[in-house]
Amino acid sequence: MKKITIAIDGHSSCGKSTMAKDLARELGYIYIDSGAMYRAVTLYSLRKGFFTPEGIDTQSLQADMPNIHISFRLNPESQRPMTYLNGENVEEAIRTMEVSSRVSPIAALGFVREALVKQQQEMGKAKGIVMDGRDIGTVVFPDAELKIFVTASAEIRARRRYEELKAKGQEAPYEEILANVKERDYIDQNREVSPLRKADDAILLDNSEMSIPEQKQWLMEKYQAVVHG
Ligand code: CDP
């Protein structure tokens, strides 16, 4: 069966990564969470003290970009991809509210995007990849054979994120999460470099009222339609 490139973009916390991960596992494809890469750069910046009261110390971050190495390795038990920053497993550390509340300004920096997009394109060279993010169908893989743009209402997304954090013992107030979801939407859609937008040839999926199995089936049908034409 021919291998294709699958780009899944959309708003924050709409379950993109769950669907992308499941699909990749089912097809035997590589899954790359591009958001995890922006989160890893954010974690690195926090640790290095690049967030100052005057704003982000972009000069230091830019100088350090060649020292930031991000990779993914499968957890042998869960078979889930784990994010590594300079050899350290940071999968949990990049999912905190602290990182979530700082990631969008980092992802708005042109030099950060340039470096990460280059790495993402390299990872997708051999096809057989599912990548999720904000600019995958528009910038990273404009020629992807299957593009999906996922959304759901901000309230539903905040509720899902709330449950997800709670399950991990990192409970945060619902109102704070909702504010973060809305703020990131705003920054992601209004930044100058690669703003979040649906590619013209992407298929829209509003999963506000869909269960995970329903969504999985929907996605499988779209995939089948592409490969069997
Ligand atoms: O999991 P969630 O959808 O909340 O976010 P994420 O996919 O982990 O992405 C975190 C942040 O990284 C987003 O809010 C964007 O600001 C940024 N991002 C981006 O700019 N471009 C991408 N391809 C992926 C993420």
Side-chain angles (χ1 to χ4, degrees):
M1 179 101 53
K2 73 165 180 177
K3 291 207 166 194
I4 64 166
T5 301
I6 303 174
I8 303 191
D9 288 302
H11 291 105
S12 71
S13 316
C14 58
K16 291 186 304 289
S17 53
T18 307
M19 70 190 272
K21 240 178 257 175
D22 281 355
L23 182 67
R25 200 182 312 132
E26 196 125 329
L27 303 178
Y29 276 24
I30 293 170
Y31 162 67
I32 299 291
D33 174 357
S34 69
M37 300 171 74
Y38 291 95
R39 286 174 179 272
V41 174
T42 306
L43 179 67
Y44 182 93
S45 304
L46 276 164
R47 288 176 171 177
K48 285 280 204 159
F50 294 162
F51 286 95
T52 73
E54 291 75 45
I56 301 169
D57 178 356
T58 50
Q59 227 171 357
S60 301
L61 176 56
Q62 187 158 15
D64 257 5
M65 282 309 287
N67 305 325
I68 305 181
H69 301 286
I70 303 164
S71 58
F72 296 95
R73 296 180 210 163
L74 275 192
N75 177 322
E77 274 161 38
S78 64
Q79 285 297 305
R80 301 233 157 224
M82 300 281 131
T83 311
Y84 281 75
L85 169 61
N86 293 335
E88 175 195 349
N89 183 338
V90 293
E91 187 55 34
E92 275 202 16
I94 60 169
R95 310 282 168 195
T96 60
M97 276 304 283
E98 190 184 20
V99 171
S100 294
S101 65
R102 311 265 191 172
V103 60
S104 285
I106 290 284
L109 299 170
F111 66 85
V112 172
R113 304 204 70 83
E114 209 174 295
L116 297 191
V117 166
K118 207 185 272 174
Q119 291 179 28
Q120 291 154 4
Q121 288 172 334
E122 201 59 40
M123 293 168 174
K125 260 196 175 151
K127 293 195 169 272
I129 190 167
V130 183
M131 193 176 289
D132 75 0
R134 300 292 187 284
D135 60 340
I136 312 305
T138 51
V139 176
V140 181
F141 300 129
D143 297 329
E145 290 86 348
L146 178 59
K147 298 182 187 178
I148 311 286
F149 190 89
V150 199
T151 191
S153 77
E155 287 72 20
I156 286 183
R157 289 185 280 132
R159 174 65 50 198
R160 289 177 185 159
R161 180 52 56 99
Y162 172 82
E163 300 296 345
E164 189 186 326
L165 286 170
K166 197 168 139 188
K168 285 197 284 192
Q170 297 178 9
E171 195 163 340
Y174 170 78
E175 291 304 329
E176 188 187 323
I177 297 173
L178 179 61
N180 174 253
V181 160
K182 287 184 175 168
E183 188 193 4
R184 280 201 285 143
D185 284 355
Y186 183 83
I187 303 178
D188 293 348
Q189 283 164 343
N190 292 284
R191 68 181 174 221
E192 258 169 52
V193 205
S194 316
L196 170 66
R197 67 170 183 85
K198 179 184 161 302
D200 294 336
D201 52 351
I203 308 169
L204 183 69
L205 167 65
D206 183 332
N207 68 4
S208 300
E209 308 293 335
M210 254 187 197
S211 67
I212 289 178
E214 281 168 351
Q215 172 171 296
K216 203 170 171 178
Q217 195 187 340
W218 182 94
L219 191 56
M220 238 355 194
E221 282 165 16
K222 302 297 169 205
Y223 164 78
Q224 298 292 357
V226 170
V227 291
H228 299 301

